[in-house]
Amino acid sequence: MSKKFRWANIYLWFVFILLYLPIFFLIVYSFNSGSVMQGWSGFSLKHYNELFSDTRILEILVNTFLIALLSSLLASIIGTGGALYIYNLKHTLSKNVFLSLNNILLVSPDVIIGASFLILFTVMGFALGFTSVLLSHIAFSIPIVVLMVLPRLQEMNQSLVAAAKDLGANNWQMLSRVILPVISPGILAGFFMAFTYSLDDFAVTFFVTGNGFTTLSVEVYSRARQGVSLEINALSALMFMVSLLLVLAYYVISTRAVRSKKRGTRLVLPATEGL
Amino acid sequence: MTNTSTPIIEFKNVGLSYDDDEILKNIDLELEAGKFYTLLGPSGSGKTTILNIISGQLKVTHGDILFEGNVINDVPVEKRRMNTVFQDYGLFPNMNVFDNVAFGPSIKGLSKKEIKNKVTEMLSLVKLSQYADREITELSGGQRQRVAIARALANDPDVLLLDEPLSALDYKLRKEMQYELREIQQRLGITFVFVTHDQEEALAMSDWIYVMNDGVIQQNGSPEDIYDEPINHFVADFIGESNILDGIMKADYLVHFTGKDFENVDAGMRPNERVEVVLRPEDLDLTTIDNGKLVVTIDDQSFRGDYYEITAIDDDGNEWQVQATNKSKIGERVGLTFDPEDIHIMRFNESENDFDARLERYEDDVDDAKK
Amino acid sequence: MMPKSKKQRQLFYVVPYSIWLILFVFAPLVLLLFQSLTTSNGDFTLHNYAVYFASGTYLKMTFNSVWYAFLITLITLLISYPTAYLLNQLKQKQFWLLLVILPTWINLLLKTYAFVGLLSKTGTVNNFIGLLGIAPQQLLFSDWSFLLVAAYIEIPFMILPIFNSLAEINPRLEQASHDLGANKWQTLRRVILPLSMPGIKAGIQAVFIPSLSLFMITRLIGGNRVITLGTAIEEHFLVTQNWRLGSTIGVILIVAMVIIMILTRDRVRKSSRKRG
Ligand SMILES: Nc1ncnc2c1ncn2[C@@H]1O[C@H](COP(=O)(O)OP(=O)(O)OP(=O)(O)O)[C@@H](O)[C@H]1O
Ligand SMILES: [Mg+2]
């Protein structure tokens, strides 16, 4: 029995080491004083210095976060509206139709999304750049917001709504005082998901970004193809810390949501967006 | 009980703790083959825990479990010749009724034909022959419960463990199932260990009852023993309804309570020992004030179908529960009477062993006196 | 300001959402199909499909793509199922699950980039096997490295749905199975595995479809060869600029995706209703 359990632990350790090896590998080499991810020439922070004096990459970083922030904000608003609309639909059939339509972008491979958006922007005569990337990110984030908000609405206590109506709340009061507070954990979770989707996206952006505009993923891709630079490692280490903070924030929010509701939202992953 | 054959299941000084929480304390059990046993106790008293130790789902902290005289502490669940009907049934939702019942036989590697015969036999035993193809979700609570029994019995266990299997059923179905379970047990002649917190159920079904509280066995005996001779306040209170009063054993066969002396049939205690006196409501009768041993005032009454349940208050302010066949008037003063043998005496902190020993000594005395 | 009637309110909710539906869900798919079915003059043609199905290279590439996606899915499933199963038995399982999810929050390009360093000819893995006396191998740009990295990326997406479906199984059922005489293995095969099937199917969906369309990993790790449908689409759209053929392959990818979704759809269990 205990022997069996030890094997189980060894297996789990193996999987976790596998999962984290590449990440720690990146971080460790960001402190290498040499210039390649091979051998070890000693500890140094020089790649961090390089990174912070590389205005191009800093600018790209700002762009990436700007796109993520704007797209997830707008997607949260539009997606919440969509969720409210679908929730208010009377017929189960139309509800299901809307839900299926909603999920199309979620299940579509990114290459398809990227390629078809590229056709769309070209046909409409839309210049590729910041706006096309922003619109694309909003577009692929909306369905996930809907999916995060809808369960909250469905769990919402109907008698609560009825009671508010009974007390004479008008539509606006109803939304701001009754519905929004109840579904806000869902909206927040949707916002977080959209934010990470956007940060993580590579494929869609790669298709719809023109020559002038780049996000971090696209930049790493083109640099990696030219050869490895440890500046990227320094960046990875910093990004890891940011991700860690985001995960912690999300964890705290979602566990708090779980505690307040017995059947809370599960941790949901960004789908394999950006492969 | 004088039986020389090896018990089918035996607990020797079994204890179980979670961290520092002692859930079971020094449990001793001896179960004979072919009998219907009941573990009776309030919620959280450790009944399920004992069942799980018998079936092997839980390992004990100390003590030994014996099966037909052999220690089985380390025998895994699947190797024990016992099966369980779980508190929530635990039916496999991915299988229909037939496949649920067939699970055990097919694990044993029986042939298709043997399996089919076995399942058919078991389903007819629990009167579900028509339901073999149903999905579990399409069954009522009572039907699920029968499937769980059939599934457990399909393995031909030597011991069937049942964890409050009737608690989810309505009153009528429950009565029916009590009767059927008892019948199944007698037909198959295997040992049943039945868990319940319902004393009526325990009294109606069992050959032998273990009364538990707080991880300790308070008393064990036949339903009649337990009902008539509760060993302590807890058992007297838990089994049936009781009037429990403080008293003093002035001498053998003389007890003092509510300010009066009464003749009784207990003996073997220290003179003037403080005791508790138990009188069952159905042993009490209302009569005229002159004929009564005590005078009480009727405080409340409610009709219970075949009797009136009456609450009366004596002059010391003690409350009495009485079951009377005739209606009374509230506020009326009446006499209360009972026979000497209806007075049951409980000593404080007397263990089961002390109790048995005293009873034996006392019976010997009676025998001697007769000679 | 907020509209008054319920109808107006619905309209207020739905307008931005429908614009999104029309512009970013319908229009792109219609345009993709349109591209694949027209000539540059806008006339209807099946030429692109004819080219695709007549070309041995394309068919072989499609077959390869499906084959690789299958292998990636299989490898991830084989690693993920035991992981999810064992994780589910730990005390702090939500915490450990979070540790599985954490790597997915790290930019995919960065993780892939790490493998470039790990697997290169003078990289860490080669140094390590060098200690065992094995000469440096060309690890990068091989099929194996492609499968390894793709599986690495996909593992959390397989673990999560399986873990969730396992966590939903009433622990009583495992007890009941042992109680009825089944050992650990029989319990796994006959009770746990069937009950966790929805999670397995969800995991297969989450891994197989993206694996068909991988192109970044193919380029960086797989040696810049066009070996998946995803690479082919990227090649036609961004390198050779033959959008019509690219769209055709896109449509074929969508069809493949729909087939997978249908195959892994959760059928209502009624098949056993009629038994002899
Ligand atoms: N895994 C556990 N860890 C800690 N304490 C436990 C655990 N399982 C049970 N207990 C405690 O053990 C005691 C006995 O539990 P058990 O389930 O045996 O009660 P029971 O008599 O079957 O009650 P019920 O009638 O409610 O089913 C309870 O106080 C319970 O809180
Ligand atoms: Mg219990």
Side-chain angles (χ1 to χ4, degrees):
Chain A
M1 184 67 196
S2 66
K3 196 176 174 191
K4 220 175 197 173
F5 201 65
R6 208 169 311 137
W7 276 111
N9 283 340
I10 289 174
Y11 181 78
L12 283 180
W13 274 111
F14 167 76
V15 171
F16 275 105
I17 288 172
L18 198 74
L19 279 177
Y20 281 90
L21 182 74
I23 294 162
F24 285 116
F25 177 80
L26 276 181
I27 295 176
V28 167
Y29 269 103
S30 73
F31 297 107
N32 188 11
S33 62
S35 60
V36 283
M37 267 197 277
Q38 285 153 22
W40 181 255
S41 329
F43 178 86
S44 127
L45 286 176
K46 75 175 195 193
H47 302 296
Y48 287 85
N49 287 330
E50 274 168 36
L51 177 68
F52 287 117
S53 52
D54 185 340
T55 47
R56 179 178 159 80
I57 209 131
L58 291 180
E59 194 186 316
I60 289 170
L61 208 57
V62 170
N63 281 337
T64 309
F65 273 90
L66 194 65
I67 290 271
L69 199 64
L70 283 177
S71 68
S72 47
L73 262 177
L74 288 166
S76 299
I77 294 169
I78 300 172
T80 304
L84 283 166
Y85 177 76
I86 295 174
Y87 171 71
N88 283 332
L89 283 176
K90 286 274 173 309
H91 300 286
T92 16
L93 180 70
S94 46
K95 227 175 212 180
N96 286 339
V97 168
F98 266 92
L99 270 178
S100 310
L101 292 177
N102 184 68
N103 291 352
I104 288 181
L105 280 188
L106 275 184
V107 296
S108 297
D110 321 310
V111 218
I112 298 291
I113 300 178
S116 60
F117 281 11
L118 175 60
I119 303 175
L120 178 77
F121 287 126
T122 317
V123 166
M124 295 194 342
F126 210 94
L128 298 182
F130 178 83
T131 325
S132 62
V133 174
L134 179 63
L135 284 175
S136 305
H137 282 217
I138 295 172
F140 68 61
S141 299
I142 287 175
I144 189 68
V145 176
V146 173
L147 277 197
M148 302 300 278
V149 173
L150 214 49
R152 291 272 152 192
L153 280 168
Q154 269 146 6
E155 281 172 19
M156 189 167 62
N157 197 340
Q158 277 310 311
S159 54
L160 193 73
V161 179
K165 265 197 190 132
D166 198 50
L167 294 170
N170 64 29
N171 277 328
W172 172 244
Q173 287 167 331
M174 186 87 123
L175 187 68
S176 65
R177 306 252 181 93
V178 182
I179 299 178
L180 281 182
V182 174
I183 64 173
S184 57
I187 301 178
L188 207 59
F191 173 81
F192 260 100
M193 298 290 311
F195 193 78
T196 49
Y197 258 54
S198 171
L199 278 189
D200 212 42
D201 177 67
F202 163 70
V204 177
T205 315
F206 191 62
F207 273 88
V208 298
T209 186
N211 289 327
F213 185 77
T214 323
T215 63
L216 192 64
S217 302
V218 178
E219 179 72 8
V220 173
Y221 179 69
S222 52
R223 288 199 186 193
R225 293 190 80 178
Q226 287 153 15
V228 181
S229 139
L230 291 190
E231 201 187 312
I232 302 291
N233 290 51
L235 186 61
S236 314
L238 293 178
M239 294 285 287
F240 181 71
M241 294 318 292
V242 173
S243 307
L244 211 61
L245 289 178
L246 279 176
V247 170
L248 280 178
Y250 182 73
Y251 185 63
V252 169
I253 288 168
S254 65
T255 48
R256 202 194 291 150
V258 167
R259 231 175 291 139
S260 67
K261 272 255 164 204
K262 210 165 175 206
R263 247 177 57 86
T265 30
R266 270 206 206 86
L267 285 174
V268 183
L269 291 178
T272 35
E273 209 60 56
L275 291 178
Chain B
M1 298 231 301
T2 48
N3 197 315
T4 46
S5 70
T6 346
I8 188 159
I9 289 172
E10 202 173 348
F11 272 38
K12 284 191 174 157
N13 194 28
V14 165
L16 186 138
S17 308
Y18 291 112
D19 301 324
D20 287 337
D21 232 3
E22 209 178 358
I23 303 295
L24 291 182
K25 294 158 205 149
N26 310 332
I27 301 283
D28 288 305
L29 294 176
E30 262 184 41
L31 311 185
E32 283 173 38
K35 290 235 158 87
F36 195 119
Y37 288 93
T38 297
L39 295 175
L40 174 65
S43 187
S45 56
K47 307 179 299 287
T48 300
T49 308
I50 289 194
L51 222 54
N52 283 337
I53 290 173
I54 299 178
S55 72
Q57 305 277 6
L58 278 176
K59 297 265 171 279
V60 296
T61 313
H62 64 75
D64 284 331
I65 318 340
L66 285 79
F67 184 82
E68 292 176 342
N70 305 313
V71 175
I72 53 162
N73 287 17
D74 294 324
V75 175
V77 185
E78 61 266 25
K79 297 263 165 60
R80 300 191 182 189
R81 300 204 313 266
M82 319 172 189
N83 287 107
T84 310
V85 178
F86 292 97
Q87 205 161 356
D88 53 4
Y89 311 148
L91 297 174
F92 302 123
N94 56 321
M95 305 174 197
N96 63 13
V97 170
F98 184 98
D99 292 337
N100 262 282
V101 180
F103 189 86
S106 77
I107 289 285
K108 271 193 202 157
L110 299 190
S111 76
K112 266 213 158 67
K113 194 156 169 263
E114 288 169 308
I115 293 174
K116 193 161 186 300
N117 289 341
K118 191 82 218 171
V119 174
T120 312
E121 182 194 336
M122 286 305 138
L123 286 180
S124 80
L125 186 71
V126 297
K127 305 188 174 125
L128 278 183
S129 301
Q130 309 303 316
Y131 292 84
D133 292 338
R134 286 274 189 109
E135 296 297 323
I136 297 305
T137 46
E138 299 166 346
L139 298 178
S140 73
Q143 291 164 341
R144 285 179 202 200
Q145 208 261 310
R146 286 158 193 262
V147 176
I149 293 169
R151 184 179 72 173
L153 288 173
N155 254 12
D156 296 326
D158 293 336
V159 180
L160 187 72
L161 309 167
L162 304 105
D163 194 352
E164 307 198 24
L166 309 183
S167 57
L169 307 181
D170 65 52
Y171 182 76
K172 195 160 168 289
L173 194 55
R174 216 176 147 129
K175 288 277 168 207
E176 250 173 66
M177 284 304 299
Q178 286 178 7
Y179 173 77
E180 277 180 33
L181 271 180
R182 181 70 190 165
E183 200 185 59
I184 289 173
Q185 188 265 333
Q186 278 166 354
R187 172 128 47 109
L188 299 176
I190 62 174
T191 314
F192 272 35
V193 183
F194 183 91
V195 161
T196 182
H197 57 252
D198 180 341
Q199 45 101 9
E200 246 180 81
E201 196 165 275
L203 293 173
M205 300 173 77
S206 328
D207 290 321
W208 200 257
I209 298 177
Y210 284 86
V211 184
M212 296 197 60
N213 188 34
D214 269 345
V216 176
I217 291 179
Q218 302 288 334
Q219 184 172 8
N220 76 89
S222 68
E224 295 81 10
D225 287 351
I226 300 239
Y227 190 85
D228 292 339
E229 303 283 348
I231 188 178
N232 59 27
H233 192 112
F234 173 81
V235 178
D237 202 31
F238 193 71
I239 311 282
E241 295 205 47
S242 305
N243 298 295
I244 305 175
L245 300 112
D246 290 330
I248 292 169
M249 241 357 234
K250 285 200 161 160
D252 285 355
Y253 314 118
L254 188 65
V255 61
H256 176 92
F257 59 93
T258 64
K260 289 187 178 163
D261 291 345
F262 297 93
E263 192 191 322
N264 72 335
V265 295
D266 282 273
M269 281 157 247
R270 282 177 279 109
N272 291 324
E273 182 176 334
R274 293 174 50 77
V275 294
E276 282 182 302
V277 179
V278 180
L279 285 148
R280 295 287 186 187
E282 66 271 22
D283 292 337
L284 301 176
D285 289 311
L286 296 182
T287 176
T288 58
I289 294 183
D290 295 341
N291 286 340
K293 295 188 172 173
L294 287 166
V295 177
V296 296
T297 311
I298 307 290
D299 188 53
D300 197 11
Q301 81 176 339
S302 58
F303 183 55
R304 285 294 157 90
D306 41 357
Y307 62 89
Y308 288 91
E309 184 167 291
I310 289 168
T311 310
I313 306 210
D314 69 18
D315 294 342
D316 278 10
N318 297 312
E319 210 174 84
W320 292 82
Q321 302 294 330
V322 183
Q323 287 177 10
T325 38
N326 298 321
K327 202 168 176 175
S328 304
K329 256 198 262 143
I330 290 177
E332 192 183 3
R333 278 176 68 79
V334 293
L336 187 70
T337 183
F338 40 84
D339 295 335
E341 58 269 25
D342 294 332
I343 302 176
H344 172 66
I345 304 295
M346 302 187 302
R347 299 174 86 178
F348 286 97
N349 303 322
E350 189 175 43
S351 77
E352 269 203 270
N353 291 340
D354 301 341
F355 178 77
D356 289 343
R358 180 167 64 84
L359 218 60
E360 232 160 75
R361 232 184 306 125
Y362 152 74
E363 275 162 4
D364 289 348
D365 286 354
V366 174
D367 288 348
D368 290 347
K370 274 187 188 156
K371 282 171 201 164
Chain C
M1 216 35 246
M2 191 68 186
K4 287 281 176 292
S5 81
K6 172 147 189 181
K7 244 198 190 123
Q8 283 174 315
R9 193 177 70 208
Q10 278 289 72
L11 213 61
F12 177 81
Y13 293 146
V14 82
V15 165
Y17 186 71
S18 344
I19 292 177
W20 166 76
L21 267 183
I22 293 164
L23 215 55
F24 289 99
V25 180
F26 286 122
L29 288 179
V30 171
L31 284 172
L32 197 76
L33 194 65
F34 183 78
Q35 285 271 333
S36 75
L37 287 172
T38 52
T39 67
S40 50
N41 301 327
D43 301 328
F44 174 82
T45 175
L46 283 176
H47 175 72
N48 296 312
Y49 290 90
V51 169
Y52 176 85
F53 283 109
S55 151
T57 337
Y58 282 133
L59 288 179
K60 187 159 175 284
M61 184 270 300
T62 308
F63 173 79
N64 265 336
S65 187
V66 173
W67 174 240
Y68 282 125
F70 170 77
L71 285 179
I72 293 166
T73 311
L74 188 69
I75 294 169
T76 30
L77 183 61
L78 289 179
I79 295 177
S80 300
Y81 198 92
T83 309
Y85 180 79
L86 295 172
L87 279 180
N88 201 37
Q89 302 186 330
L90 296 180
K91 277 221 176 76
Q92 292 279 324
K93 50 184 173 182
Q94 287 302 331
F95 170 77
W96 291 103
L97 187 67
L98 196 69
L99 279 190
V100 171
I101 297 173
L102 186 58
T104 68
W105 289 56
I106 290 157
N107 193 299
L108 183 93
L109 264 295
L110 296 175
K111 284 181 290 187
T112 311
Y113 170 72
F115 277 98
V116 176
L118 269 168
L119 298 177
S120 70
K121 201 148 187 181
T122 47
T124 310
V125 172
N126 265 320
N127 286 343
F128 186 74
I129 63 173
L131 292 180
L132 306 173
I134 301 167
Q137 305 284 314
Q138 176 57 275
L139 299 171
L140 222 50
F141 311 133
S142 67
D143 291 353
W144 282 112
S145 61
F146 167 66
L147 289 177
L148 170 78
V149 177
Y152 168 80
I153 301 287
E154 304 284 7
I155 279 175
F157 301 99
M158 184 67 93
I159 292 180
L160 189 77
I162 295 178
F163 176 91
N164 282 337
S165 69
L166 284 171
E168 272 172 19
I169 298 176
N170 182 354
R172 174 76 79 238
L173 299 179
E174 208 171 335
Q175 282 185 12
S177 171
H178 289 306
D179 188 82
L180 293 166
N183 58 29
K184 254 202 145 63
W185 169 243
Q186 288 164 323
T187 303
L188 181 68
R189 197 168 56 81
R190 303 191 45 171
V191 178
I192 307 293
L193 203 60
L195 287 174
S196 58
M197 219 50 199
I200 295 178
K201 284 180 175 177
I204 290 176
Q205 265 187 27
V207 170
F208 194 93
I209 295 168
S211 298
L212 277 179
S213 60
L214 290 172
F215 75 89
M216 180 273 296
I217 297 177
T218 330
R219 293 270 189 222
L220 286 183
I221 307 280
N224 222 355
R225 292 166 300 149
V226 182
I227 51 172
T228 64
L229 289 170
T231 344
I233 295 172
E234 186 243 7
E235 175 105 355
H236 283 111
F237 270 88
L238 300 177
V239 183
T240 63
Q241 301 279 338
N242 184 351
W243 287 15
R244 291 174 198 287
L245 199 50
S247 300
T248 308
I249 301 173
V251 171
I252 284 160
L253 179 54
I254 291 174
V255 170
M257 177 187 98
V258 170
I259 292 173
I260 298 301
M261 306 267 290
I262 291 171
L263 285 180
T264 52
R265 192 181 46 189
D266 236 354
R267 255 165 265 133
V268 186
R269 210 188 93 89
K270 284 280 170 202
S271 47
S272 61
R273 281 300 289 275
K274 293 270 160 286
R275 73 162 38 235

